[in-house]
Amino acid sequence: MSAVQQGEGRKRNKKHYVGQPHNKRWRGGRELEVGMEGILVTCNMNQKKCTAEAFDLLNEYADKLYGPEKFPGGEGSCPDEDVDDALKREVAQLRAPPGYQERRFQALESGANNVIFIRTRNLESDKLVHHILSDLHATKKKKTRVILRMLPVMGTCRAFLDDILNYLSNFLQPWFKRPNTATYQVVYKARNNNHSKREDVIKSVAGLVGKMNSKNRVNLSKPDLTIMLEVIKAVCCVSVAREYTVYKKYNLQEVVRDDPPKTEDGPKTEEPEKAGDKAAEEGKEDDKAAEEGKEDDKAAEEGKEDDKVEEMEGDKVEEKEGEKVEKEDDKSAEKGKEDDKVEEKEDDTVKASEEEKERKAVEDGVEEQKMAGKGDVEEEEKTQDCDDKKDGE
């Protein structure tokens, strides 16, 4: 037998079919992790379209601020590059899948529904998002349909209270440590995480900011800075936002809407005054109609509650009647049983009396038979005596 035939007859190793390294899919760096920076984008049920809109919008404004994107890779190493950095870059290129390049914006899984995390490289996410919102607020031009909010992520840490406070003690110093001072508010949102309570986190962060500078004050209506804490699973995304309330909490749908007109000071003509009076009257009428609608709703709810109460009372009455009927049936059954017992006792007494009568009759018959037997014996004895006398004579 030849060597080829021997090889064909042997059982092949399992590695020949599965488990080869070159067939493995590259899965590294596709999820939000501690140490990343980027932008959180929220949407409503359509994440693919939201991702496409976010890339278009971010690239449009990033090209204006930082110029067009430059793709690394094909060029050689820089002459001033360190040997360790060059080795790390080459190792990363070798480990990456074919055709993979590190882009300026990269979409990653955030770990929550309807939330997308876009990782950024070589740019400041807070300045980019603020520039987008300021332009949309000024032009009132709507450029997105699915995106709801864009929140910059300037840093990330573990989502435990002690880790958050340790990270913020250094992160917040450029804005709140002496001699810097500002009014602020703390915004906390947790998704898929229940390690810390919202009130405890906000109080702890406010105490930390107060220790940095006693002149820092809380202002919930129009703060200078807003400390945003977005927790997703085990990662806390941290950022400090400017004009948070002016730009409608960084909501791209609300920021493009027209602001309500403001009344200007100065002499007013009669026509505007009349228009204002009419508008006020119409507003009052609308308020009255709304109040009447509320009253109707309350009445309907009260009617429903009354119906429920009546149903409950009816059910209770039926239950009570049913219980009464059952009790009466039980009583009648008990009475029937007692009557049966009485009848049985009477039958027993009747039987006993009849048995006694029969027994007495039997005894009387026996006694009569005995008396009759005695009389016959006496008569026989008398006749024998007479016969004996006659024979003697």
Side-chain angles (χ1 to χ4, degrees), residues 354-368:
E354 289 178 353
E355 289 177 355
E356 288 179 359
K357 288 179 181 180
E358 291 178 355
R359 184 171 56 78
K360 288 180 180 180
V362 171
E363 290 177 355
D364 294 337
V366 171
E367 290 178 356
E368 288 178 359

Side-chain angles (χ1 to χ4, degrees), residues 274 310 315:
K274 291 180 180 179
E310 290 178 357
D315 295 336

Side-chain angles (χ1 to χ4, degrees), residues 227-238:
I227 303 172
M228 291 190 295
L229 304 176
E230 296 284 335
V231 175
I232 302 176
K233 287 188 176 179
V235 181
C236 178
C237 302
V238 182

Side-chain angles (χ1 to χ4, degrees), residues 59-71 103-104:
N59 283 316
E60 178 185 350
Y61 285 93
D63 291 342
K64 294 179 182 178
L65 288 177
Y66 305 101
E69 184 177 6
K70 296 179 182 180
F71 298 98
R103 302 293 301 272
R104 182 164 55 185

